PDB file of all heavy atoms in Angstrom:
ATOM      1  N   PHE A 335      92.628  94.442 100.705  1.00 70.00           N
ATOM      2  CA  PHE A 335      92.290  95.773 100.181  1.00 70.00           C
ATOM      3  C   PHE A 335      92.334  95.808  98.658  1.00 70.00           C
ATOM      4  O   PHE A 335      91.674  96.625  98.029  1.00 70.00           O
ATOM      5  CB  PHE A 335      93.280  96.800 100.750  1.00 70.00           C
ATOM      6  CG  PHE A 335      92.864  98.234 100.534  1.00 70.00           C
ATOM      7  CD1 PHE A 335      92.008  98.852 101.423  1.00 70.00           C
ATOM      8  CD2 PHE A 335      93.332  98.965  99.453  1.00 70.00           C
ATOM      9  CE1 PHE A 335      91.626 100.176 101.238  1.00 70.00           C
ATOM     10  CE2 PHE A 335      92.959 100.292  99.264  1.00 70.00           C
ATOM     11  CZ  PHE A 335      92.102 100.897 100.163  1.00 70.00           C
ATOM     12  N   GLN A 336      93.105  94.912  98.056  1.00 70.00           N
ATOM     13  CA  GLN A 336      93.294  94.930  96.608  1.00 70.00           C
ATOM     14  C   GLN A 336      92.252  94.133  95.834  1.00 70.00           C
ATOM     15  O   GLN A 336      92.213  94.205  94.611  1.00 70.00           O
ATOM     16  CB  GLN A 336      94.679  94.376  96.258  1.00 70.00           C
ATOM     17  CG  GLN A 336      95.808  95.372  96.465  1.00 70.00           C
ATOM     18  CD  GLN A 336      96.994  95.031  95.596  1.00 70.00           C
ATOM     19  OE1 GLN A 336      97.368  93.881  95.473  1.00 70.00           O
ATOM     20  NE2 GLN A 336      97.573  96.033  94.971  1.00 70.00           N
ATOM     21  N   ILE A 337      91.397  93.404  96.503  1.00 67.00           N
ATOM     22  CA  ILE A 337      90.483  92.497  95.810  1.00 67.00           C
ATOM     23  C   ILE A 337      89.635  93.187  94.732  1.00 67.00           C
ATOM     24  O   ILE A 337      89.612  92.732  93.581  1.00 67.00           O
ATOM     25  CB  ILE A 337      89.592  91.751  96.820  1.00 67.00           C
ATOM     26  CG1 ILE A 337      90.440  90.745  97.609  1.00 67.00           C
ATOM     27  CG2 ILE A 337      88.446  91.029  96.127  1.00 67.00           C
ATOM     28  CD1 ILE A 337      89.701  90.050  98.729  1.00 67.00           C
ATOM     29  N   PRO A 338      88.941  94.318  95.030  1.00 59.00           N
ATOM     30  CA  PRO A 338      88.155  94.958  93.971  1.00 59.00           C
ATOM     31  C   PRO A 338      89.011  95.433  92.799  1.00 59.00           C
ATOM     32  O   PRO A 338      88.642  95.270  91.640  1.00 59.00           O
ATOM     33  CB  PRO A 338      87.511  96.154  94.693  1.00 59.00           C
ATOM     34  CG  PRO A 338      87.533  95.794  96.125  1.00 59.00           C
ATOM     35  CD  PRO A 338      88.787  94.998  96.321  1.00 59.00           C
ATOM     36  N   ALA A 339      90.181  96.009  93.108  1.00 61.00           N
ATOM     37  CA  ALA A 339      91.060  96.501  92.045  1.00 61.00           C
ATOM     38  C   ALA A 339      91.611  95.349  91.204  1.00 61.00           C
ATOM     39  O   ALA A 339      91.750  95.462  89.990  1.00 61.00           O
ATOM     40  CB  ALA A 339      92.208  97.314  92.640  1.00 61.00           C
ATOM     41  N   ILE A 340      91.924  94.207  91.843  1.00 61.00           N
ATOM     42  CA  ILE A 340      92.435  93.050  91.118  1.00 61.00           C
ATOM     43  C   ILE A 340      91.384  92.534  90.141  1.00 61.00           C
ATOM     44  O   ILE A 340      91.679  92.251  88.976  1.00 61.00           O
ATOM     45  CB  ILE A 340      92.846  91.933  92.109  1.00 61.00           C
ATOM     46  CG1 ILE A 340      94.113  92.346  92.860  1.00 61.00           C
ATOM     47  CG2 ILE A 340      93.090  90.617  91.374  1.00 61.00           C
ATOM     48  CD1 ILE A 340      94.481  91.426  93.997  1.00 61.00           C
ATOM     49  N   ILE A 341      90.136  92.446  90.602  1.00 58.00           N
ATOM     50  CA  ILE A 341      89.053  91.981  89.735  1.00 58.00           C
ATOM     51  C   ILE A 341      88.836  92.945  88.575  1.00 58.00           C
ATOM     52  O   ILE A 341      88.695  92.545  87.425  1.00 58.00           O
ATOM     53  CB  ILE A 341      87.751  91.820  90.550  1.00 58.00           C
ATOM     54  CG1 ILE A 341      87.923  90.716  91.594  1.00 58.00           C
ATOM     55  CG2 ILE A 341      86.576  91.510  89.636  1.00 58.00           C
ATOM     56  CD1 ILE A 341      86.755  90.576  92.546  1.00 58.00           C
ATOM     57  N   SER A 342      88.845  94.248  88.886  1.00 55.00           N
ATOM     58  CA  SER A 342      88.640  95.263  87.857  1.00 55.00           C
ATOM     59  C   SER A 342      89.753  95.265  86.823  1.00 55.00           C
ATOM     60  O   SER A 342      89.528  95.319  85.622  1.00 55.00           O
ATOM     61  CB  SER A 342      88.541  96.652  88.508  1.00 55.00           C
ATOM     62  OG  SER A 342      88.414  97.652  87.530  1.00 55.00           O
ATOM     63  N   ASN A 343      91.008  95.172  87.291  1.00 58.00           N
ATOM     64  CA  ASN A 343      92.147  95.201  86.370  1.00 58.00           C
ATOM     65  C   ASN A 343      92.297  93.895  85.594  1.00 58.00           C
ATOM     66  O   ASN A 343      93.055  93.835  84.628  1.00 58.00           O
ATOM     67  CB  ASN A 343      93.435  95.496  87.145  1.00 58.00           C
ATOM     68  CG  ASN A 343      93.573  96.967  87.473  1.00 58.00           C
ATOM     69  OD1 ASN A 343      94.044  97.769  86.676  1.00 58.00           O
ATOM     70  ND2 ASN A 343      93.124  97.347  88.662  1.00 58.00           N
ATOM     71  N   ALA A 344      91.577  92.864  86.005  1.00 60.00           N
ATOM     72  CA  ALA A 344      91.582  91.608  85.263  1.00 60.00           C
ATOM     73  C   ALA A 344      90.581  91.644  84.113  1.00 60.00           C
ATOM     74  O   ALA A 344      90.435  90.670  83.376  1.00 60.00           O
ATOM     75  CB  ALA A 344      91.269  90.447  86.187  1.00 60.00           C
ATOM     76  N   GLY A 345      89.882  92.772  83.976  1.00 57.00           N
ATOM     77  CA  GLY A 345      88.931  92.921  82.880  1.00 57.00           C
ATOM     78  C   GLY A 345      87.512  92.541  83.254  1.00 57.00           C
ATOM     79  O   GLY A 345      86.619  92.542  82.402  1.00 57.00           O
ATOM     80  N   LEU A 346      87.288  92.209  84.513  1.00 56.00           N
ATOM     81  CA  LEU A 346      85.950  91.839  84.970  1.00 56.00           C
ATOM     82  C   LEU A 346      85.272  93.061  85.572  1.00 56.00           C
ATOM     83  O   LEU A 346      85.928  93.951  86.104  1.00 56.00           O
ATOM     84  CB  LEU A 346      86.042  90.716  86.008  1.00 56.00           C
ATOM     85  CG  LEU A 346      86.738  89.437  85.536  1.00 56.00           C
ATOM     86  CD1 LEU A 346      86.880  88.470  86.708  1.00 56.00           C
ATOM     87  CD2 LEU A 346      85.957  88.782  84.400  1.00 56.00           C
ATOM     88  N   LYS A 347      83.957  93.097  85.467  1.00 57.00           N
ATOM     89  CA  LYS A 347      83.214  94.229  85.998  1.00 57.00           C
ATOM     90  C   LYS A 347      82.857  93.994  87.455  1.00 57.00           C
ATOM     91  O   LYS A 347      82.446  92.912  87.837  1.00 57.00           O
ATOM     92  CB  LYS A 347      81.937  94.462  85.184  1.00 57.00           C
ATOM     93  CG  LYS A 347      82.190  94.963  83.772  1.00 57.00           C
ATOM     94  CD  LYS A 347      80.886  95.275  83.069  1.00 57.00           C
ATOM     95  CE  LYS A 347      81.148  95.823  81.673  1.00 57.00           C
ATOM     96  NZ  LYS A 347      79.882  96.151  80.969  1.00 57.00           N
ATOM     97  N   ILE A 348      83.054  95.012  88.230  1.00 53.00           N
ATOM     98  CA  ILE A 348      82.660  94.940  89.640  1.00 53.00           C
ATOM     99  C   ILE A 348      81.903  96.210  89.987  1.00 53.00           C
ATOM    100  O   ILE A 348      82.319  97.313  89.616  1.00 53.00           O
ATOM    101  CB  ILE A 348      83.886  94.782  90.572  1.00 53.00           C
ATOM    102  CG1 ILE A 348      83.430  94.720  92.018  1.00 53.00           C
ATOM    103  CG2 ILE A 348      84.920  95.876  90.358  1.00 53.00           C
ATOM    104  CD1 ILE A 348      84.525  94.364  92.994  1.00 53.00           C
ATOM    105  N   VAL A 349      80.777  96.053  90.617  1.00 52.00           N
ATOM    106  CA  VAL A 349      79.948  97.191  90.981  1.00 52.00           C
ATOM    107  C   VAL A 349      79.792  97.200  92.496  1.00 52.00           C
ATOM    108  O   VAL A 349      79.267  96.255  93.086  1.00 52.00           O
ATOM    109  CB  VAL A 349      78.559  97.122  90.312  1.00 52.00           C
ATOM    110  CG1 VAL A 349      77.711  98.306  90.759  1.00 52.00           C
ATOM    111  CG2 VAL A 349      78.702  97.088  88.809  1.00 52.00           C
TER     112      VAL A 349
END
Side-chain angles (χ1 to χ4, degrees):
F335 193 85
Q336 281 204 317
I337 290 174
I340 289 171
I341 295 174
S342 177
N343 281 276
L346 302 174
K347 291 185 178 181
I348 180 171
V349 178

